Every structure is written in C-alpha cells, then in structure tokens.
C-alpha cells in the first residue's frame, strides 16, 4: 500500500564458498557503503577495536607514507599531499583527532620545507595552504560530528517508538510460541505502519497483526492508537466480536481527530487479522479479517490458507451492508496442536522479482516442510519466509514487511538455536 523503495542487506547463505580476496576487502566495502549511507554507527563499529577507535590510524599512516616518500624519492611536492591528511581525518575522526592530525601535517610540512631542505622552499603560499586546509577540515569535522549526534539521537527516538508500537514479547507469552520479524522499506526510518501484538487475558489470548495504509509518523501514530485499544479490549472483552468492534470504532475516531486537525492523512485505514485462542477450544481458533491476507496454517502435513472471509479494512465499516456498526463475522476454524499460524503483510505479498513476478511463500514453505517438518516451528518459519522474500526481490522491498508466526505452546518446544 505504500510507496518508496528500501534496500535491505542479505546475510551470506550458509555453506556458500567465498573468495578469500573478496572476504579480505569486504570490511573496506562495508566502510565505503556505510560512509555513502551516512551510517555513523556502522562507521564507528568498523573503525573500532575492542571499543576503542582506530580511525586516526588511517590518516596518520597516510601522513607517514607521504613524508617517507618525499624524503626517500623526492618524486613529488609534499605540499600537494599533506593537505589531504586533515581532509581524510575530517571524514572519519572526531574534532580533536582531526585537529591533532592537522597540526601534525603542518609540522611535517614545516620540517620538510625548513629542516630537510632537499628541494627549493615553497615559501609562505604553501604554508598558508596547509594551515587553511587543516582549519577547514576541523570545521568540517565539527559539522559532521554534530550531524551524527543528531542522527544518533533521532535513531534512539525511532527505536523507542518502535519498542512502544512493537513491544518486545516474552517467550511463551499468553501460552503461545511466537516469532516475528519486521523490515522497514525505508532502512533509515526503522519504524513504519506495520504492527503486531499478543494480549493474554481472562478470556484467552488474542493476537493482532496489521498494516496501516500510508507511511511516516502518521502511520505510526495510527498503529499506536489501534494497539492501545487492542491491548485493553482484548484483555477485558469476553467476545472477540466486541474486540473487533472496538478496533473499528477506534479507527473511525482516530480518522475523525486527524481530519479535524486538517491533516492530509485524515482518510487513513488499516488492514488487520484478529485471532483468538480460547482455553476451552484447544483445537480451534477464532479469526476476524479486516481486508488483510488470510492467515496460513503451517504444519507437518503441509500449508493451507484458512478460509476466512476478508472484510473491509478498519475504518471502512460504513461501506458494509449493515452500515457503520457492521463488522466482519467471527469465524471458528480448526487448528491442530502442531500447526502454526502465519500472518504476513504487504511487504511479502507484493515483493516482486526483476521480471515483475510476485512472491508466493506457500511454495517455499511446502518444499521446506517436505525436507524437514521442524520448519513449522514459528522461529524457523519466520526466518524461512523472511529469507525467501528478500531473495525473491533481491533485497529491494517495496513496502514495510512483517512476518508473524504463532502457535499454542505444547510439549514440542522451540529449539535453542531457533530463538
């Protein structure tokens, strides 16, 4: 439903044979990519050893090499190279480190021009150039460091927002084994309109997975509003249909509020899947679908799409025959103890390969189950669909992607390596 394209890096496939030369240059390639993307965290990690930065080592080695080459060969003017050292430092070092390297560059130049004297002196113009280059580098480093601090602060805010919307779920929460992965289409945003949650209560455990139309902070705000209502209604309401009604009402109220504020996203809607696990129905689940892809049941026997009638998205109940008070019906569906419910968002169903073909995860899942039925476990199932989606679209996601899997917690436990 949302535009924009994001690039997500794929991990190397286990067992692939990699060239030693390629592996040797991979850190440099990652550094270049991180620098191009403005990823301060990646640069700091790549230029640190045991938590201590070694960024200063690269411009220092450059300065030593310039000085040694100039003294040993006299093949080039040192002034044309020492001015590059603080410039390199400004790109990867802090302000203090850049200033120190600028001073060292000036000292090396002065020594070459007045002490070694193996060529004619370049005089005041060369000295001014080195001083000016170092000063500009220090100012540039100050601007860069300030921008990185602001970016890291915004990243912390985004991570906090994501933890608020997509709160961490304890293992076995509500008597369910679960696993989830969220990949934003915009790799810089880190948070979007996809949402999921599990809420145990006195009437059973309820699960909600959905996708807000649109993108940006407005979509995050809508997702937070729906999740807040879900967490309360799913705990207190004995009937899943009432929970569905509360979600529809919350969406309409939220749209009215944003429209009253004059915002352009006042007509936003959301697709969702609402699932109920009742303690008295061990082989059955209740499900309500709001215009979303129906969930799939995955077990040792294969993959099947649950026959749930897909209603209209949240916020569009006025278009149903029953008017604004109408909600999609609650369906009771059989679900074996060894079957896992899989729910995905548009990032999976709309993933395209270079030829424009859509990704259909059911085929990959069926083949994996034929080889090993342990792929029905939530963690393995989520990883399988995630990797298949990224492989199909070559790592270029057209939409935020959520893969969520859940099943009743029973004698068969997740393996430690699957967590």
């Amino acid at each position: 439903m949302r535009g924009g394209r994001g690039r997500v890096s794929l991990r190397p496939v286990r067992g692939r044979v990699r060239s030693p030369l390629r592996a040797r240059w991979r850190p440099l390639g990652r550094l270049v990519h991180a620098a191009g993307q403005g990823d301060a965290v990646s640069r700091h990690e790549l230029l640190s050893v045991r938590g201590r930065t070694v960024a200063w080592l690269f411009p220092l080695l450059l300065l030593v090499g310039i000085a040694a080459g100039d003294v040993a060969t006299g093949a080039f003017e040192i002034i044309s190279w020492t001015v590059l050292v603080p410039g390199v430092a400004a790109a990867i070092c802090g302000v203090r480190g850049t200033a120190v390297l600028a001073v060292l560059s000036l000292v090396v130049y002065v020594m070459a021009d007045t002490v070694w004297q193996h060529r004619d002196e370049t005089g005041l113009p060369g000295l001014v150039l080195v001083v000016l280059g170092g000063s500009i580098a220090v100012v540039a480093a100050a601007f860069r460091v300030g921008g990185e601090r602001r970016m890291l602060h915004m990243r912390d805010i985004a991570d906090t927002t994501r933890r608020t919307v997509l709160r961490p779920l304890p293992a076995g929460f509500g008597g369910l084994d679960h696993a989830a992965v969220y990949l934003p289409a915009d790799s810089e945003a880190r948070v979007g309109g996809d949402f999921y949650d599990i809420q145990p209560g006195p009437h059973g455990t309820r699960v909600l997975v959905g996708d807000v139309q649109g993108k940006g902070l407005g979509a995050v705000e809508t997702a937070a509003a729906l999740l807040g209502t879900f967490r309360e209604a799913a705990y207190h309401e004995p009937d899943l249909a009432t929970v569905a009604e509360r979600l529809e009402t919350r969406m309409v109220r939220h749209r009215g509020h944003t429209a009253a504020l004059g915002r352009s996203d006042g007509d936003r809607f959301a697709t969702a899947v609402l699932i109920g696990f009742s303690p008295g129905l061990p082989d059955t689940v209740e499900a309500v679908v709001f215009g979303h892809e129906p969930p799939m049941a995955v077990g040792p026997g294969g993959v099947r799409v649950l026959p749930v009638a897909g209603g209209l998205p949240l916020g569009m109940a006025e278009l149903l025959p029953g008017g604004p008070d109408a909600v999609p019906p609650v369906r009771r569906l059989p679900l074996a103890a060894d079957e896992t419910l899989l729910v995905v968002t548009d990032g999976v169903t709309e993933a395209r390969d270079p030829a424009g073909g859509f990704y259909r995860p059911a085929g990959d899942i069926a083949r994996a189950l034929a080889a090993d039925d342990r792929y029905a476990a939530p963690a393995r199932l989520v990883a399988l669909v995630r990797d298949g989606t990224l492989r199909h679209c070559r790592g270029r996601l057209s939409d935020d992607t959520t893969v969520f899997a859940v099943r009743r917690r029973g004698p068969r436990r997740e393996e430690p390596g699957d967590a």
Side-chain angles (χ1 to χ4, degrees):
M1 289 186 294
R2 290 181 290 277
R5 299 179 68 86
R7 186 180 298 274
V8 179
S9 299
L10 289 172
R11 293 182 177 179
V13 177
R14 183 175 298 177
R16 172 184 285 179
V17 178
R18 296 192 295 269
S19 165
L21 182 61
R22 181 179 178 184
R24 184 182 308 165
W25 287 102
R26 179 169 289 119
L28 180 59
R30 289 167 56 195
L31 176 59
V32 172
H33 175 74
Q37 295 294 324
D39 193 340
V41 174
S42 299
R43 285 199 300 272
H44 292 168
E45 291 176 350
L46 289 171
L47 297 174
S48 299
V49 175
R50 296 183 179 179
R52 294 183 177 274
T53 180
V54 293
W56 52 268
L57 186 60
F58 297 97
L60 181 61
L61 290 176
L62 175 61
L63 181 61
V64 171
I66 291 171
D70 183 82
V71 172
T73 66
F76 52 83
E77 294 281 349
I78 196 170
I79 182 57
S80 63
W81 294 87
T82 53
V83 73
L84 296 177
V85 174
V88 173
I92 58 177
C93 298
V95 178
R96 184 179 301 176
T98 302
V100 170
L101 286 162
V103 172
L104 285 177
S105 299
L106 178 62
V107 170
V108 169
Y109 170 78
V110 171
M111 291 182 63
D113 208 32
T114 61
V115 177
W116 300 331
Q117 292 183 343
H118 60 286
R119 64 162 58 88
D120 295 336
E121 295 183 13
T122 57
L124 183 61
L127 181 63
V128 170
L129 182 59
V130 174
V131 172
L132 184 61
S135 301
I136 293 175
V138 172
V139 173
F143 275 103
R144 194 205 86 236
V145 170
E148 288 182 351
R149 287 174 179 170
R150 289 190 294 272
M151 184 271 291
L152 293 174
H153 179 64
M154 293 302 297
R155 172 171 289 191
D156 290 340
I157 294 174
D159 287 340
T160 302
T161 303
R162 181 173 59 181
R163 287 193 299 269
T164 301
V165 177
L166 304 179
R167 62 177 179 175
L169 300 174
F173 193 47
L176 302 176
D177 284 328
H178 57 83
V181 62
Y182 169 69
L183 301 173
D186 182 356
S187 59
E188 299 298 326
R190 301 173 67 83
V191 65
D194 286 9
F195 57 91
Y196 58 84
D197 202 3
I198 298 174
Q199 182 58 60
H203 309 291
T205 300
R206 276 73 184 263
V207 176
L208 180 68
V209 183
D211 181 7
V212 176
Q213 176 266 336
K215 57 183 178 181
L217 294 179
V220 178
E221 180 184 359
T222 303
L226 290 172
L227 285 173
T229 297
F230 166 74
R231 289 162 186 166
E232 290 301 312
Y235 180 86
H236 292 288
E237 299 295 343
D239 190 358
L240 193 68
T242 306
V243 179
E245 292 174 357
R246 293 276 299 274
L247 289 171
E248 174 65 26
T249 301
R250 185 68 182 96
M251 188 70 214
V252 173
R253 290 173 55 203
H254 182 74
R255 287 175 56 183
H257 179 259
T258 54
L261 292 175
R263 287 167 40 178
S264 59
D265 59 350
D267 59 346
R268 198 181 296 275
F269 60 87
T271 65
V273 175
L274 177 62
I275 302 169
F277 292 86
S278 299
L281 301 171
D283 298 324
T284 304
V285 294
E286 295 180 317
V288 181
V289 174
F290 296 94
H292 201 89
E293 288 285 331
M296 290 184 286
V298 180
V303 185
R304 59 188 177 92
V305 178
L306 296 184
V308 185
L312 293 178
L314 289 167
M316 293 186 172
E318 69 272 9
L319 302 178
L320 293 172
D325 296 330
V327 294
V330 178
R331 296 287 303 274
R332 284 190 175 181
L333 304 166
L335 185 71
D338 58 355
E339 285 187 314
T340 298
L341 282 181
L342 174 68
V343 184
V344 299
T345 59
D346 288 351
V348 175
T349 58
E350 295 184 0
R352 294 172 180 259
D353 59 17
F358 290 102
Y359 177 57
R360 296 293 179 258
D364 284 351
I365 297 172
R367 286 187 290 271
L369 289 173
D372 187 352
D373 62 8
R374 289 180 297 177
Y375 276 103
R380 290 194 175 194
L381 181 58
V382 164
L384 175 68
V385 177
R386 175 202 61 194
D387 295 344
T389 303
L390 293 174
R391 182 170 56 248
H392 184 82
C393 67
R394 306 298 192 269
R396 299 184 65 87
L397 297 172
S398 62
D399 200 352
D400 292 348
T401 301
T402 295
V403 185
F404 187 88
V406 62
R407 73 178 178 188
R408 286 186 174 90
R409 196 172 182 86
R412 185 177 183 178
R413 296 288 191 263
E414 297 282 338
E415 298 180 7
D418 294 340

